[in-house]
């Protein structure tokens, strides 16, 4: 199901971003923070994403080894959440005491994220939201971040090379880019599109387009062109029958969804 065509001709419709995608997510802003609503899987995913980012930054010596055993496990890391949406992952990073910039060019989502953050005095000092494109942001902030996270973003990006190039520009040498997305395989289509959207309905119909999926091999090839070496690729599975904190798990098979960490070479 193709998304409705946008009338947006503003500067926010940058090279890597399809303005139809911006409209699609802006229209879901009111449901973003409902943990049982259409974005519930993003909330569940945090239970895997935060330890994965933490362990990746420990492995590359951005964080000390003892961070693994601390609730403030991301303290000391400067992180860009590229395509942060309404801030579900951004707040989780801030709660782990990572200093994080949540970046999105969907204004309604950034407004929502700021509204949700406003009463939370314990994490406000760690979080800043910015409404601009990754192209604009990397020009203002080159070689700045210890980590750039693009989680559930690439499958909504038209020009993936342009997007990833900008992410890498914003990354310090020795820093890591963390990506989660859906693989462009038959099983990726069957599980993430047919099964999730049309059979079970756990994801809203029309959320994904198969043409925008990408394999980890293709992502690694693009990142290599921008001086980033892929360090780890892991498959991801979603288990209906487990408790919320264990629904997402890493697995050896990355033909459906996967996490990828790459390091910008010094």
């Amino acid at each position: 199901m193709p998304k409705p065509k946008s009338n947006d001709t503003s500067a926010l419709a940058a090279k890597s971003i399809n303005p139809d995608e911006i409209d699609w997510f802006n229209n879901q802003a009111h449901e973003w923070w409902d943990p049982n609503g259409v974005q519930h899987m993003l909330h569940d995913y945090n239970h895997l994403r935060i330890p994965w980012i933490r362990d990746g930054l420990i492995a590359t010596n951005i964080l000390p080894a003892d961070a693994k055993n601390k609730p403030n496990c991301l303290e000391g890391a400067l992180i860009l959440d590229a395509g942060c949406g309404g801030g579900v992952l951004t707040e989780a990073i801030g709660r782990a005491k990572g200093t994080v910039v949540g970046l999105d060019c969907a204004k309604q989502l950034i407004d929502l994220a700021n509204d949700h953050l406003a009463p939370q005095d314990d994490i406000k000092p760690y979080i800043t939201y910015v409404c601009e494109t990754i192209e604009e942001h990397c020009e203002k902030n080159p070689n700045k971040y210890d980590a750039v996270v693009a989680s559930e973003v690439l499958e909504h990006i038209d020009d993936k090379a342009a997007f990833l190039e900008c992410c890498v520009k914003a990354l310090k040498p020795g820093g890591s880019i963390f990506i989660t997305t859906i693989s462009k395989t038959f099983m990726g289509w069957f599980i993430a599109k047919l099964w999730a959207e049309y059979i079970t309905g756990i994801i809203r119909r029309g959320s994904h387009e198969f043409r925008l999926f990408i394999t980890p091999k293709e992502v690694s090839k693009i990142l290599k062109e921008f001086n980033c070496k892929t360090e780890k690729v892991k498959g991801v599975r979603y288990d209906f029958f487990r408790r919320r904190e264990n629904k997402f798990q890493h697995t050896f098979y990355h033909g459906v969804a996967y996490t990828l960490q790459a390091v910008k070479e010094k």
Side-chain angles (χ1 to χ4, degrees), residues 40-234:
H40 69 96
M41 294 181 77
L42 292 180
H43 294 262
D44 295 346
Y45 213 171
N46 279 349
H47 296 289
L48 182 146
R49 293 187 290 188
I50 295 299
W52 164 62
I53 294 168
R54 174 202 66 199
D55 292 348
L57 292 179
I58 290 173
T60 54
N61 299 313
I62 300 295
L63 293 175
D66 64 356
K68 195 175 184 75
N69 303 314
K70 294 180 177 179
N72 301 340
C73 61
L74 298 179
E75 189 171 14
L78 178 60
I79 299 171
L80 175 65
D81 185 8
C84 66
V88 170
L89 177 57
T90 316
E91 282 199 11
I93 293 170
R95 207 164 293 285
K97 299 300 185 283
T99 301
V100 57
V101 174
L103 178 73
D104 209 293
C105 53
K107 185 178 184 303
Q108 290 180 46
L109 291 182
I110 289 295
D111 290 345
L112 170 74
N114 275 314
D115 288 345
H116 194 268
L117 178 63
Q120 301 187 76
D121 292 337
D122 57 332
I123 61 173
K124 271 199 296 188
Y126 299 94
I127 298 172
T128 304
Y129 287 111
V130 178
C131 185
E132 64 185 5
T133 66
I134 187 65
E135 288 89 346
E136 293 167 324
H137 194 74
C138 75
E139 291 300 321
K140 299 174 187 175
N141 300 277
N143 303 309
K144 179 175 180 177
Y145 295 97
D146 297 310
V148 175
V149 181
S151 185
E152 304 308 287
V153 174
L154 270 189
E155 67 270 24
H156 303 288
I157 298 292
D158 281 357
D159 191 338
K160 297 178 188 351
F163 175 81
L164 290 172
E165 181 181 15
C166 291
C167 288
V168 173
K169 282 182 180 179
L171 193 62
K172 289 179 182 177
S176 290
I177 181 168
F178 294 91
I179 294 167
T180 76
T181 191
I182 304 168
S183 192
K184 194 172 186 179
T185 62
F186 170 78
M187 287 304 296
W189 168 81
F190 182 82
I191 298 295
K193 184 68 180 174
L194 182 63
W195 182 79
E197 292 188 22
Y198 288 88
I199 296 176
T200 64
I202 61 171
I203 298 175
R204 175 171 286 176
R205 288 189 181 187
S207 293
H208 298 115
E209 296 181 46
F210 179 69
R211 68 179 182 86
L212 294 177
F213 293 178
I214 186 168
T215 66
K217 184 177 181 180
E218 292 171 312
V219 173
S220 295
K221 183 178 179 181
I222 294 170
L223 289 172
K224 186 177 180 181
E225 295 176 4
F226 305 128
N227 205 31
C228 274
K229 181 184 177 183
T230 297
E231 296 290 339
K232 288 184 180 179
V233 178
K234 295 182 179 180

Side-chain angles (χ1 to χ4, degrees), residues 21-32:
E21 294 285 343
I22 299 172
D23 283 354
W24 174 263
F25 287 113
N26 271 332
N27 290 335
Q28 296 180 46
H30 63 289
E31 301 173 309
W32 209 269

